[in-house]
Amino acid sequence: MIDTFTGVLAFAFLGALLVVGTLLRARVAVLRRALMPASLIGGLLGFTLLALPLDLGFERADFTAIAFHCFTLSFMSLVLTGGPRDAGAGGVTLGGSWLAVVWVVSLVLQALLGLAIVLGYNTLGDNSLSAFLGLLVTHGFTQGPGQALALGNIWESELGVAGAVDFGLIYASVGFLAAFVVGVPVARRAVRLGLNANQAARLDAEFLQGYYDEKSRLVTGHHVTNSANLDTFAWHIGILGVAYLLTDQYIRALHPIAAQIPLGSANLGHIFSHNLFFIHGLIICLILRRLMDRFGVGRFIDDDTQRRITGSAVDFMVVATLASIQFGLLAKYFAPIAAVCVSVTIGTAVLCFGFGRLVQRLGVERALTSFGCCCGSTGTGLVLLRVLDPDLSTPVARELAFFNIAILFLGFHVLTLMAPVLPSFSLTTIVGVYGLTFVAGMAALVALSRRLNAAA
């Protein structure tokens, strides 16, 4: 039976890192002031431990699969959760559109910056890196570790871009760090200068230390099933299991057909593959939730419980991503990786905060939220927003609900049609499409900023 423990112990190790990260956040002042999440602290600790000459019994590859599947589960669980009823009400559509366009512009801007840095490094340095390793940075920063891993897998295993998985994991990890290293000081300065709309904003002890005191703990979730029959948590995990199985069969059925359809110099089969399981899982869960609501059984999903599953999957994904980083590769290519990450961080900050200054009302809130989303995830953007708006009384948090839907449509040509098989396109085609997207996005941002000011 000892052979069955490998995956379970790897998962247990990640859980232990999250516990230690939570304790360190509560006890170490610098971590509290930086609002560093436990998953990031634990992940950095795990990366350090695995880099030391210690025999912990784990390989970094043990955590790569966990990161991939936790990312997939977080997306699928998010779609199974009912959306806020007022997500499209009032003025949130306009603000959400602004956030979505910033994200799409960031998507192509980061890719172009990464490409330029790697091409420059190849010109000046001794080592030759694939130009696509520079383009990959946007899928680590703007899209996060799960998609960097998913696309990196396709690029490396099927399209011949060596090191794509490891580079993607590094970019994603640095993106989370950049979001907090840059975002938290900016947020604190905005509060100190009174630039935020919620003038009652303050960082209380519970927010800083990262856990609730006994008297102020929140009550969340409701029982759907009777525990004498089946625990509610097990029921929700079971629904995700059904969706996982359906997605697997859906991909197996469509992949042979899609593989016959050309896409660039590759084929559509790369998109209809298990490497992009999260996209197809999202579709299956969307259909499943709509059918459940249509036939009156949507009430058997407790949204609070589903959100806890989503949040837990994200936490495990982040800590697993950091633990998966190959120290040797990071050391070997530290110079180009650092140059790419610094340039992308600066470019993203200029984009988000520059256009935020054009918006008269809630400009700093939207700028900081978009910066968090473009360096880490929607959750990172929400954490930074809470520094300015602790009780989420402004509409920006609700705008994020519309944002999550809008980016799928606005970035469809890049996210779905090009990114999965990007190495099959010429650099000229990529620069042309990404460049036109950047120009169109910048024009749209100017127009949206004016509309937001007119509506204020």
Side-chain angles (χ1 to χ4, degrees):
M1 292 294 291
I2 191 172
D3 295 336
T4 67
F5 278 77
T6 303
V8 175
L9 289 177
F11 190 80
F13 179 68
L14 297 178
L17 291 175
L18 289 174
V19 171
V20 174
T22 302
L23 296 175
L24 289 175
R25 162 72 179 264
R27 299 297 180 183
V28 181
V30 66
L31 297 178
R32 291 197 302 271
R33 288 195 297 269
L35 303 182
M36 198 72 72
S39 58
L40 204 54
I41 299 169
L44 290 171
L45 177 61
F47 168 76
T48 303
L49 290 174
L50 291 170
L52 296 174
L54 302 173
D55 185 13
L56 298 177
F58 302 113
E59 300 291 336
R60 294 190 184 274
D62 294 335
F63 307 111
T64 303
I66 295 176
F68 177 84
H69 287 288
C70 283
F71 165 74
T72 301
L73 286 170
S74 70
F75 253 71
M76 294 172 69
S77 179
L78 180 65
V79 176
L80 282 175
T81 307
R85 291 181 174 83
D86 60 346
V92 300
T93 300
L94 189 58
S97 298
W98 189 92
L99 293 173
V101 174
V102 168
W103 190 91
V104 174
V105 172
S106 171
L107 182 73
V108 293
L109 172 63
Q110 291 179 356
L112 293 173
L113 288 173
L115 174 63
I117 293 295
V118 170
L119 290 177
Y121 172 78
N122 286 339
T123 301
L124 302 174
D126 297 329
N127 296 314
S128 180
L129 288 174
S130 168
F132 294 101
L133 294 176
L135 290 162
L136 184 62
V137 67
T138 192
H139 302 295
F141 267 67
T142 298
Q143 290 194 277
Q147 298 199 49
L149 178 58
L151 295 177
N153 260 320
I154 297 177
W155 292 13
E156 183 169 339
S157 63
E158 301 182 33
L159 299 173
V161 182
V165 171
D166 291 324
F167 268 76
L169 291 172
I170 292 171
Y171 288 146
S173 301
V174 176
F176 276 108
L177 285 171
F180 290 98
V181 169
V182 176
V184 171
V186 170
R188 287 181 175 277
R189 184 173 184 273
V191 172
R192 187 171 66 252
L193 297 178
L195 301 177
N196 54 311
N198 186 351
Q199 291 299 300
R202 63 184 181 86
L203 300 178
D204 58 29
E206 291 180 345
F207 189 77
L208 289 172
Q209 68 191 11
Y211 63 84
Y212 292 107
D213 290 329
E214 186 175 358
K215 293 182 179 179
S216 57
R217 291 174 183 171
L218 300 178
V219 177
T220 179
H222 296 83
H223 283 285
V224 173
T225 56
N226 190 304
S227 297
N229 176 39
L230 179 70
D231 188 84
T232 290
F233 192 78
W235 165 257
H236 287 78
I237 293 292
I239 294 174
L240 269 174
V242 170
Y244 230 68
L245 291 172
L246 290 174
T247 305
D248 173 65
Q249 293 304 308
Y250 160 84
I251 292 174
R252 290 178 185 273
L254 292 183
H255 176 76
I257 301 172
Q260 305 302 316
I261 303 174
L263 182 61
S265 60
N267 62 74
L268 201 60
H270 292 298
I271 295 177
F272 286 86
S273 72
H274 282 77
N275 285 318
L276 294 180
F277 196 95
F278 73 95
I279 292 179
H280 305 290
L282 185 151
I283 296 170
I284 292 296
C285 286
L286 181 64
I287 296 172
L288 184 60
R289 178 69 200 222
R290 292 295 179 270
L291 288 174
M292 292 180 72
D293 290 340
R294 173 67 179 82
F295 292 103
V297 294
R299 57 193 174 89
F300 290 112
I301 292 183
D302 178 64
D303 290 338
D304 282 338
T305 301
Q306 202 68 57
R307 290 189 188 98
R308 301 288 72 75
I309 295 175
T310 303
S312 298
V314 169
D315 287 332
F316 273 96
M317 174 191 68
V318 172
V319 71
T321 297
L322 284 158
S324 301
I325 294 176
Q326 296 290 341
F327 178 77
L329 182 139
L330 177 61
K332 181 179 180 181
Y333 294 109
F334 180 79
I337 289 173
V340 168
C341 292
V342 169
S343 65
V344 164
T345 300
I346 293 173
T348 306
V350 170
L351 169 68
C352 296
F353 297 119
F355 274 96
R357 291 175 65 88
L358 297 181
V359 180
Q360 296 171 1
R361 181 175 177 272
L362 299 177
V364 66
E365 286 86 353
R366 292 188 177 110
L368 194 65
T369 301
S370 63
F371 180 76
C373 292
C374 292
C375 287
S377 65
T378 302
T380 310
L382 195 59
V383 169
L384 294 178
L385 173 63
R386 286 192 61 197
V387 181
L388 305 179
D389 184 20
D391 56 0
L392 301 180
S393 59
T394 68
V396 179
R398 297 192 301 278
E399 291 172 358
L400 279 173
F402 182 82
F403 155 87
N404 278 315
I405 299 172
I407 58 176
L408 298 177
F409 294 95
L410 295 177
F412 180 82
H413 62 297
V414 173
L415 297 175
T416 304
L417 299 181
M418 294 188 69
V421 292
L422 199 66
S424 68
F425 291 95
S426 68
L427 290 181
T428 302
T429 300
I430 295 169
V431 171
V433 174
Y434 281 30
L436 288 173
T437 302
F438 175 79
V439 172
M442 295 290 278
L445 276 177
V446 172
L448 284 169
S449 298
R450 290 173 178 171
R451 289 188 61 188
L452 281 170
N453 291 335

